[in-house]
């Protein structure tokens, strides 16, 4: 257990440092948003570009991993959508609940955890996760939510609006640049490559610090049922569903299984409250992010212990 704490404790200490910085007023909310913008628009895209250009594309494009992680995420999304509709929520609210249950914070928490546990391959698995999240789960959730509220123009207009928004997503742009460089074999000029490396190294610590700052000020106000569904779905159901599909793969690599489970144990995406606010679920999504991030200290630690116990991780 001490070995596990040496992995997880520094991560949550960085989150705590961000929270204390915001709590003390040392870093204002505007300043914290500036750090988040740096991570989202520069550090994470650079990390993806470096990962995809440092590894042969045939190794980076792990179809088995994409299938298992993607199908597990889709299953949890469907369960969350169905459960929320059964509980009487509108389609837009149900889509936001399902999004929180099935889209992991791969960049801000999943990657810093995974890189400490499995090392350099964590960047490749993060890139694959972001393909699932930015090109499947998030577009479907936003399309359903917007379709529920759209009063004219038809479904195609809603899809077009969602795709337009995604085309400006810096993480998706970073993915496309990395894939293009890997396919063509082009090399970045030396100074540019060094700059990309420096930005990539900053991604993990800056992301964790930002998460801590974002948690400050979030409140839980009498929304236990909805918040509980999202948190339990994300931290328990999502890893179980991903594991089930990995076990269906023939001769699945233990490292691949470990990576998928570590990422699936991460809490919901950091921008979850922003999506929730657009569709009347701001308080619920913010509370779920706070509780899910705090609870993930226990679930991630437990997952590392289980992976070690079953021989999927050498510690």
């Amino acid at each position: 257990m001490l070995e596990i704490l040496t992995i997880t404790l520094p991560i949550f200490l960085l989150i705590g440092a961000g929270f204390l910085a915001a709590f003390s007023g040392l870093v204002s909310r505007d300043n914290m948003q500036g750090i988040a913008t740096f991570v989202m628009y520069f550090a994470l895209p650079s990390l993806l570009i470096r990962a995809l250009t440092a590894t042969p594309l045939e190794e980076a494009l792990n179809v088995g991993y994409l299938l298992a992680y993607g199908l597990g995420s889709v299953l949890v999304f469907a369960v969350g959508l169905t459960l929320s509709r059964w509980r009487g929520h509108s389609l837009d609210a149900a889509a936001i609940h399902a999004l929180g249950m099935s889209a992991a914070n791969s960049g801000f928490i999943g990657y810093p955890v995974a890189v400490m546990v499995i090392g350099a391959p964590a960047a490749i698995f993060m890139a694959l996760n972001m393909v699932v999240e930015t090109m499947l789960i998030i577009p479907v959730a936003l399309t359903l939510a917007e379709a529920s509220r759209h009063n004219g123009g038809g479904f195609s207009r809603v899809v077009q609006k969602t795709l337009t928004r995604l085309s400006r997503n810096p993480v998706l742009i970073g993915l496309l640049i990395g894939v293009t460089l890997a396919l063509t074999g082009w090399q970045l000029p030396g100074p540019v490559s060094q700059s990309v490396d420096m930005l990539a190294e900053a991604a993990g610590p800056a992301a964790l610090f930002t998460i801590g700052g974002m948690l400050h000020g979030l409140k839980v106000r009498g929304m236990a049922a909805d918040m509980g569904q999202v948190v339990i779905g994300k931290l328990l159901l999502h890893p179980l569903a991903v594991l089930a599909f990995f076990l269906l793969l023939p001769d699945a690599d233990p490292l691949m299984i470990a990576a998928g489970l570590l990422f699936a144990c991460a809490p919901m995406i950091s921008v979850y409250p922003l999506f929730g606010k657009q569709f009347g679920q701001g308080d619920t999504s913010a509370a779920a992010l706070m509780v899910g991030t705090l609870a993930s200290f226990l679930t991630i630690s437990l997952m590392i212990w289980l992976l070690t116990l079953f021989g999927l991780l050498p510690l």
Side-chain angles (χ1 to χ4, degrees):
M1 183 58 71
L2 183 60
E3 293 87 352
I4 294 171
L5 286 177
T6 61
I7 294 173
T8 56
L9 192 56
I11 291 166
F12 286 90
L13 284 176
L14 276 176
I15 293 175
F19 181 87
L20 286 176
F23 176 78
S24 65
L26 183 63
V27 179
S28 68
R29 182 165 291 274
D30 288 342
N31 293 148
M32 196 63 72
Q33 185 58 47
I35 301 173
T37 300
F38 162 76
V39 173
M40 184 65 69
Y41 280 83
F42 294 96
L44 282 181
S46 296
L47 181 64
L48 294 174
I49 291 170
R50 185 178 71 172
L52 290 169
T53 54
T55 304
L57 191 60
E58 59 271 17
E59 294 181 20
L61 188 59
N62 191 320
V63 177
Y65 184 92
L66 275 174
L67 280 174
Y69 193 89
L71 289 173
S73 300
V74 168
L75 175 61
V76 174
F77 183 91
V79 169
L81 189 72
T82 303
L83 181 59
S84 289
R85 292 290 283 163
W86 177 76
R87 293 178 53 234
H89 286 288
S90 60
L91 179 59
D92 54 351
I96 295 301
H97 295 166
L99 172 64
M101 293 170 63
S102 57
N105 195 336
S106 296
F108 282 27
I109 292 183
Y111 171 74
V113 171
V115 76
M116 293 187 69
V117 176
I118 65 174
I124 292 297
F125 292 120
M126 181 191 70
L128 296 173
N129 289 347
M130 288 188 168
V131 170
V132 173
E133 291 152 8
T134 62
M135 300 185 72
L136 179 61
I137 300 298
I138 293 175
V140 169
L142 295 183
T143 299
L144 289 174
E146 297 218 25
S148 173
R149 293 188 153 196
H150 202 60
N151 296 320
F155 185 73
S156 61
R157 179 180 174 85
V158 175
V159 173
Q160 183 181 11
K161 182 178 179 181
T162 303
L163 292 176
T164 300
R165 181 187 295 114
L166 286 172
S167 69
R168 304 187 186 115
N169 186 304
V171 171
L172 184 55
I173 293 171
L175 277 170
L176 293 175
I177 292 173
V179 170
T180 300
L181 291 172
L183 284 173
T184 60
W186 294 340
Q187 299 291 324
L188 293 173
V192 176
S193 179
Q194 291 178 9
S195 297
V196 168
D197 286 342
M198 293 171 68
L199 287 169
E201 291 296 330
L208 293 171
F209 187 85
T210 302
I211 285 291
M214 292 177 65
L215 290 178
H216 176 253
L218 297 183
K219 294 180 173 61
V220 181
R221 303 191 192 97
M223 54 193 78
D226 293 342
M227 181 193 67
Q229 175 188 322
V230 175
V231 173
I232 292 173
K234 182 67 206 67
L235 299 184
L236 296 180
L237 184 57
H238 192 204
L240 288 174
V242 167
L243 175 61
F245 281 101
F246 271 119
L247 294 178
L248 293 176
L249 292 177
D251 301 321
D253 181 6
L255 181 66
M256 182 173 68
I257 297 175
L261 291 176
L262 287 171
F263 278 103
C265 279
M268 55 289 300
I269 51 177
S270 58
V271 292
Y272 181 52
L274 302 182
F275 289 138
K277 188 176 182 180
Q278 295 178 35
F279 300 99
Q281 297 295 308
D283 289 344
T284 299
S285 55
L289 176 67
M290 181 182 73
V291 174
T293 301
L294 296 175
S296 68
F297 175 76
L298 298 177
T299 57
I300 290 172
S301 299
L302 177 61
M303 179 56 68
I304 295 174
W305 178 74
L306 290 173
L307 291 172
T308 306
L309 181 67
F310 287 99
L312 294 175
L313 284 179
L315 280 183

